[in-house]
Amino acid sequence: MSGLPSWLTKQRKTELVGLAELLHLKGYEDLKKSDLELAIDKHLRAHEKDFAKDPRFAPYFNRTSSPVKKEATTAALIASEAEGKPSKPRGRRVTKVADEIGHTDESSPDDTRRTALATRTPRSILASASNVPLPPSPSVIADAVDRRTAALRRKAVKSWKKSGVTDRAEGLRDILSSVVSVETVILLIEAFGLRTEVLPSRYAFTIPGIAALRTPDWPVFIPDLFLLLTSTFWAPFTLWLSTSLFVPLLFSYFFNLTIKTKGAIRSHSAAYKFDPLTFNLTKALLAYLVYYQGVKFGGLLGYNSVYKVEGSIPGGADGLLIGSAIGAIISVYEAVLKK
């Protein structure tokens, strides 16, 4: 295989079959590519005179040296050496071949790569380029991010609506946006402060800690309910309940300024059954008389009870007056808005 011309070994099987048909070879159909190359080469060597001038076989005979010429040149060289005459043409040819070999060896890998790329057809280059994935443009990436963000926003809004937090918050706001709610919150703050004084918490038991979770022991305290059977609880609690709730409610029911009047006829429909402004003014007046002036109302109020209530309410007597002032201001504000 090494003695075959390069032009012949570079041919494909189909091209070799075509050459065999041109040469009128017989029995080439079942030959392998290597055997077909040998058969064509042998036939061309045997009939060089017939096919040397055929342009279709010119690459075969235009190589560096054909087998026949090589043998003739070698024979002439041997004869000239025997006669002692140098062969000039052979020397020039060797030099030229050496130069060509030198130029071939000096070619760099980059030149070889460029030559290989240059021999490719445009169709193969386009096919290779079409298989190379191209990165998306910035506009495409921005659109994808916008779509994803919009989808997440819609899911978040939908989940928030399903949770019902907004509806519950609005409902709580509607409940608290009234004078009654404000008065209730103020009374609850006062009652919590009083409970710590007249019904203190006592130690009940301890919840042991969990060593695996590293939680400490948790002591549990509960209100001392046995104090409900003593006057220690009922005396201050009754005083606070009377001055902060019962007596102001009584006065606000009878002195109800929210009842509507139509000319000389007074309507029995009122905005509130208990006037909130009268309630807060009465509460403030009682706090001033009991906790500032020390009025005992004929001995009905004990000193210890007054002291306990004043000391337990957040802010003391000042806290009672401030709560009454807040309720009165809100009552007037609501009445102005309704007008």
Side-chain angles (χ1 to χ4, degrees):
M1 294 294 293
S2 59
L4 294 177
S6 61
W7 175 81
L8 191 60
T9 56
K10 291 180 180 179
Q11 301 297 323
R12 298 180 181 177
K13 178 69 177 296
T14 54
E15 296 173 347
L16 292 174
V17 171
L19 293 175
E21 290 178 355
L22 293 175
L23 297 175
H24 302 289
L25 295 179
K26 296 180 181 180
Y28 63 86
E29 292 83 3
D30 299 330
L31 295 178
K32 296 182 179 180
K33 183 177 182 295
S34 58
D35 297 334
L36 191 57
E37 292 172 355
L38 291 173
I40 294 174
D41 181 69
K42 183 178 180 181
H43 187 79
L44 290 176
R45 287 173 181 270
H47 301 83
E48 182 179 2
K49 295 181 180 180
D50 299 331
F51 298 99
K53 296 182 179 180
D54 193 338
R56 292 173 293 184
F57 300 97
Y60 177 84
F61 295 101
N62 290 340
R63 52 185 177 166
T64 305
S65 61
S66 63
V68 178
K69 292 181 179 179
K70 184 176 181 180
E71 293 176 358
T73 306
T74 304
L77 181 59
I78 294 171
S80 61
E81 289 178 353
E83 297 174 357
K85 295 180 180 179
S87 178
K88 295 182 181 179
R90 183 59 182 175
R92 288 195 297 270
R93 183 60 181 173
V94 171
T95 304
K96 183 177 182 181
V97 172
D99 293 339
E100 292 178 356
I101 294 174
H103 289 297
T104 304
D105 294 337
E106 291 175 358
S107 60
S108 62
D110 295 337
D111 296 337
T112 305
R113 192 179 297 108
R114 286 195 294 269
T115 304
L117 292 174
T119 57
R120 295 182 182 178
T121 60
R123 182 176 299 177
S124 62
I125 295 175
L126 292 176
S128 301
S130 62
N131 295 329
V132 177
L134 298 177
S137 62
S139 60
V140 175
I141 297 175
D143 294 339
V145 172
D146 292 339
R147 288 194 300 270
R148 185 62 178 172
T149 304
L152 293 176
R153 188 185 300 110
R154 287 193 298 269
K155 289 182 180 179
V157 172
K158 189 176 180 180
S159 301
W160 180 260
K161 289 182 179 179
K162 285 184 177 180
S163 65
V165 176
T166 303
D167 297 335
R168 294 188 181 92
E170 291 179 354
L172 180 62
R173 183 186 63 181
D174 294 338
I175 293 173
L176 296 178
S177 300
S178 64
V179 178
V180 177
S181 299
V182 175
E183 294 292 346
T184 303
V185 171
I186 293 173
L187 290 174
L188 288 176
I189 294 174
E190 294 177 359
F192 179 79
L194 182 64
R195 202 278 305 171
T196 58
E197 179 66 26
V198 300
L199 197 65
S201 298
R202 303 297 182 189
Y203 171 77
F205 55 91
T206 301
I207 298 176
I210 302 175
L213 300 178
R214 297 181 179 179
T215 57
D217 296 340
W218 184 18
V220 178
F221 296 87
I222 58 176
D224 188 1
L225 299 180
F226 290 101
L227 293 176
L228 295 175
L229 304 177
T230 63
S231 61
T232 306
F233 168 78
W234 287 107
F237 180 71
T238 304
L239 172 62
W240 171 80
L241 204 63
S242 300
T243 57
S244 296
L245 185 61
F246 287 157
V247 175
L249 282 177
L250 181 64
F251 274 83
S252 63
Y253 178 79
F254 288 104
F255 297 95
N256 192 345
L257 303 180
T258 63
I259 297 177
K260 298 180 180 179
T261 57
K262 296 181 180 179
I265 302 174
R266 181 178 294 273
S267 175
H268 292 286
S269 61
Y272 294 102
K273 290 183 179 181
F274 303 93
D275 190 347
L277 181 59
T278 305
F279 177 88
N280 287 285
L281 293 177
T282 304
K283 180 181 175 181
L285 180 61
L286 290 174
Y288 175 75
L289 293 175
V290 173
Y291 302 108
Y292 281 95
Q293 299 299 323
V295 178
K296 299 295 186 292
F297 293 99
L300 295 176
L301 304 178
Y303 176 79
N304 292 332
S305 298
V306 174
Y307 178 77
K308 283 187 177 181
V309 172
E310 184 179 3
S312 61
I313 298 297
D318 295 336
L320 292 171
L321 292 178
I322 292 173
S324 301
I326 292 174
I329 293 172
I330 293 178
S331 301
V332 175
Y333 179 70
E334 185 184 45
V336 171
L337 293 178
K338 288 183 177 180
K339 293 295 182 179

